[in-house]
Amino acid sequence: ELGPSEFGNIVIKLPLPPSALPSLWNNEAGFKKSYLDRFPGYYDTGDAGIIDEDGYVHVMSRTDDIMQVAGHRLSTGSVEQILAEHPAISECCVVPLSDKLKGQVPMGLVVLKFGVTQSAEDIEKETIQMVRRDLGAIANYSQTHIIRRLPKTRSGKILRRTIRDIIAGKSLENQKLVVPATIEDATVLNELEETMHRLGLVGNDGEAGKVDDTVKAKL
């Protein structure tokens, strides 16, 4: 258990209130694995954040959006927020890559606005400088790659897990890539896979560099 304003996993002490998600339909084992096994005696919300000195809970991010970069905990969302401020960038997604020395390092995939004529080299340099300016050198941000489009759901949510799976080596060809039923256009997956192969990124499992040293902030 952490002290006030210390960042950690947000969990709820069991038992849960009556009728509060007692299980998953026809998937008791999946419910236990997803929500109960990691922190015995607690329900894992999948959220990370802090509890302040007044007892208020501040949800900062999802736990699967947290990277461990050279001993520092960094959210992908904090990097995405900086990249989105670049005037040439329309959409962006940050995913972790494994690194032998630092554990994980962030890598940005960006889609440019229509009509942008600025060179890819200049955009990469500027985005790296922006992240270093706002987050510091501890972010170890050194890769921005421009792609044509990102895989999204029909409601516009970027499929970050699918992107990470493609980089880890899962594909439609080896039948290991799960295509979400809500995807807007499945053809983007083939495009993305080809691009990741061209960049030499396929086979880099970002989760492999993540050390499970998280601690819990409990309710």
Side-chain angles (χ1 to χ4, degrees), residues 16-209:
L16 296 176
S19 77
L21 192 61
S23 183
L24 295 175
W25 176 255
N26 286 335
N27 192 8
E28 181 69 26
F31 174 77
K32 187 173 182 294
K33 178 181 178 181
S34 297
Y35 302 107
L36 304 179
D37 283 354
R38 188 177 182 192
F39 300 110
Y42 296 89
Y43 172 83
D44 184 4
T45 66
D47 293 318
I50 64 171
I51 300 177
D52 65 23
E53 295 179 353
D54 296 319
Y56 288 97
V57 179
H58 300 256
V59 179
M60 312 295 286
S61 66
R62 295 291 292 173
T63 54
D64 57 3
D65 289 336
I66 300 297
M67 301 176 288
Q68 294 171 343
V69 183
H72 299 278
R73 293 167 61 82
L74 185 70
S75 74
T76 56
S78 63
V79 183
E80 288 176 3
Q81 187 175 4
I82 296 170
L83 297 181
E85 293 176 357
H86 192 286
I89 292 175
S90 172
E91 296 176 318
C92 62
C93 175
V94 171
V95 295
L97 299 178
S98 63
D99 184 271
K100 291 181 179 179
L101 294 178
K102 301 177 178 67
Q104 291 179 308
V105 292
M107 183 266 292
L109 299 174
V110 302
V111 178
L112 302 184
K113 295 177 180 177
F114 180 77
V116 170
T117 57
Q118 188 176 7
S119 71
E121 183 179 356
D122 285 345
I123 291 173
E124 181 177 14
K125 288 180 179 179
E126 290 173 4
T127 51
I128 291 172
Q129 290 171 355
M130 289 169 66
V131 175
R132 287 183 177 271
R133 179 197 67 205
D134 292 357
L135 289 180
I138 62 169
N140 285 279
Y141 185 81
S142 62
Q143 292 189 61
T144 298
H145 299 294
I146 298 172
I147 60 177
R148 196 167 73 87
R149 54 180 179 159
L150 290 164
K152 295 186 290 185
T153 65
R154 287 185 288 272
S155 62
K157 179 183 177 182
I158 296 173
L159 295 167
R160 291 169 174 79
R161 167 56 63 182
T162 303
I163 295 172
R164 292 199 293 266
D165 285 346
I166 289 174
I167 293 174
K170 297 179 181 180
S171 68
L172 295 172
E173 185 176 348
N174 62 28
Q175 298 182 339
K176 292 182 178 180
L177 182 66
V178 177
V179 180
T182 56
I183 193 168
E184 180 182 38
D185 183 0
T187 61
V188 69
L189 301 179
N190 288 322
E191 293 177 11
L192 184 61
E193 187 177 347
E194 291 175 4
T195 301
M196 295 301 100
H197 273 292
R198 178 171 52 81
L199 294 172
L201 295 174
V202 172
N204 185 309
D205 186 356
E207 294 302 308

